[in-house]
Amino acid sequence: MIVDWEAEFQRTIDADSRIEPRDHMPESYRATLIRQIAQHAHSEIIGMQPEGNWITRAPSLKRKAILMAKVQDEAGHGLYLYSAAETLGVSRDQLIELLHTGRQKYSSIFNYPTLTWADIGAVGWLVDGAAICNQVPLCRCSYGPYARGMVRICKEESFHQRQGFEILRVLSAGTAAQHAMAQDAVDRWWWPAIMMFGPTDDESTHSQQSMTWGIKRFSNDELRQRFIDMTVPQADALDLTLPDPALRWNDERGHYDFGPIDWAEFWQVVNGDGPCNRQRLAQRVAAHVEGAWVRDAATAYAAKRADPGAGQAGSSTAAA
Ligand code: BYC
């Protein structure tokens, strides 16, 4: 029987069912998914750097344990996402190579520095808050392995967002100097977090096609607005001011209006010239090179388990 694979693919998308790795899919669908999932995976592991930077300087043992758990979660998210990308026929080594040679992107947000402890609060509250808005709809993405991976990632992101909010709540209610430190962090992270959602809909190259395929469920501007509407009342609860004088509720629209976004800054960061781009990539490449022995050891161990007899002849411990 001859099956019309293209029609089958379209039927699955139209029925809002999931495409699975063995299903036929158009090459452009596969390429779009590899691009987005890889970029997402790279963001998770590069995103470990600005927060990892504070593990040794967290203000208490409890804060340090929480931050370590969060940074480890980000590594785990990277693993799930690289695994999801591998189901599309690309290897993790290939993707890492594309990241290291600047041929694939990671999120603009991780090219900003974490200058004070309050930045860890602002990253959790704003960056993970933005991540949740963007990523919850991806749990319904049309590609099965990506959608399933996102379910656990989103649960962990919720915890991350709350811990960030809690850091800022304590600082905001503390001494005048602590409140000022929290405000300064929010002043620096607000606009980069708004930019995380990507260019406006009329400038977004991929949105329309990705939405037709059910990869993206909402546009960049829709998600950005959702994040702003969700975050303004939280800022009030924190007694912190968001650095946008144009921010006000619009009864007619049923949303908050906000001021102009500095898209020149966004593209400068995306194109490799933000405050920390070079440092982030150099640190990632160095960690990869220094970790070569771990990968070699893991590969040797896996081979030994697959064939326990191999390589043991003549070993003094073989009989032990
Ligand atoms: N940064 O056509 P568009 C996290 C690029 S992880 C850099 O709208 P699309 C977390 C875009 O790639 C956060 N580049 O693209 C981790 C495209 O260029 P190319 C990451 C960006 O894909 C650790 C061009 O601009 N989250 O939250 O339809 C600790 C045109 O854009 C950015 C994800 O990756 C950006 N911000 O939409 C804490 C979620 N925005 O590829 C937190 C999954 C756009 O043609 N990804 N570009 O050269 C997505 O949802 C979508 O890929 C995006 C962009 C909404 C990001």
Side-chain angles (χ1 to χ4, degrees):
M1 190 180 79
I2 297 173
V3 181
D4 180 348
W5 295 114
E6 302 242 338
E8 186 59 30
F9 171 80
Q10 200 51 52
R11 258 196 301 279
T12 308
I13 296 290
D14 293 344
D16 206 6
S17 298
R18 299 287 163 267
I19 303 290
E20 295 299 336
R22 286 200 192 88
D23 293 342
H24 169 87
M25 59 187 92
E27 272 318 300
S28 45
Y29 176 83
R30 186 187 298 278
T32 293
L33 279 168
I34 291 175
R35 179 187 62 79
Q36 177 167 327
I37 300 173
Q39 201 173 106
H40 194 165
H42 301 328
S43 303
E44 298 283 356
I45 59 164
I46 296 270
M48 295 167 73
Q49 291 185 34
E51 293 180 290
N53 177 33
W54 275 91
I55 289 175
T56 54
R57 294 178 287 168
S60 70
L61 182 60
K62 189 176 129 198
R63 294 289 187 201
K64 182 170 171 144
I66 294 171
L67 186 58
M68 278 172 73
K70 179 180 192 293
V71 173
Q72 282 178 359
D73 283 352
E74 313 300 0
H77 299 174
L79 273 181
Y80 313 153
L81 289 163
Y82 284 121
S83 302
E86 282 187 313
T87 65
L88 291 157
V90 61
S91 76
R92 195 160 131 195
D93 283 347
Q94 284 172 295
L95 297 177
I96 295 285
E97 173 70 13
L98 290 169
L99 169 66
H100 289 180
T101 51
R103 283 175 290 162
Q104 277 184 341
K105 297 184 164 76
Y106 59 88
S107 181
S108 49
I109 193 76
F110 301 116
N111 292 306
Y112 291 85
T114 40
L115 302 179
T116 69
W117 171 250
D119 286 37
I120 299 305
V123 168
W125 177 45
L126 296 175
V127 176
D128 288 277
I132 292 168
C133 274
N134 167 266
Q135 293 175 18
V136 165
L138 291 173
C139 298
R140 294 191 296 114
C141 162
S142 61
Y143 188 57
Y146 191 25
R148 289 189 287 275
M150 288 315 300
V151 173
R152 178 155 169 191
I153 293 179
C154 285
K155 285 186 181 153
E156 292 177 352
E157 297 292 15
S158 297
F159 152 70
H160 296 170
Q161 197 258 359
R162 280 160 198 225
Q163 68 86 40
F165 183 90
E166 206 262 338
I167 289 174
L168 288 182
R169 191 183 56 74
V170 170
L171 288 175
S172 180
T175 64
Q178 287 171 327
H179 184 275
M181 184 164 70
Q183 183 61 57
D184 171 62
V186 169
D187 287 346
R188 284 180 291 105
W189 285 92
W190 174 249
W191 287 109
I194 297 296
M195 292 175 197
M196 260 178 92
F197 292 89
T200 52
D201 293 351
D202 50 345
E203 294 287 324
S204 166
T205 339
H206 306 288
S207 280
Q208 206 173 2
Q209 182 60 73
S210 289
M211 287 174 74
T212 310
W213 278 328
I215 295 174
K216 283 168 87 163
R217 298 284 174 171
F218 298 97
S219 75
N220 298 354
D221 284 334
E222 283 172 323
L223 292 172
R224 188 175 0 256
Q225 184 71 62
R226 187 179 287 190
F227 171 68
I228 291 170
D229 291 348
M230 177 185 99
T231 309
V232 173
Q234 295 179 7
D236 286 343
L238 283 171
D239 190 23
L240 293 170
T241 309
L242 296 171
D244 179 359
L247 206 53
R248 69 180 60 85
W249 180 254
N250 181 328
D251 245 342
E252 221 168 280
R253 293 202 312 122
H255 292 292
Y256 282 92
D257 289 337
F258 53 95
I261 297 169
D262 184 350
W263 291 112
E265 174 181 324
F266 172 75
W267 289 115
Q268 190 177 335
V269 175
V270 169
N271 290 325
D273 206 13
C276 300
N277 294 57
R278 287 168 193 81
Q279 177 190 334
R280 297 288 184 247
L281 209 54
Q283 201 167 330
R284 170 94 270 287
V285 173
H288 190 71
V289 172
E290 283 161 23
W293 69 271
V294 180
R295 292 189 296 279
D296 290 346
T299 308
Y301 182 64
K304 194 166 150 189
R305 280 180 62 105
D307 183 4
Q312 296 221 343
S315 158
S316 57
T317 55

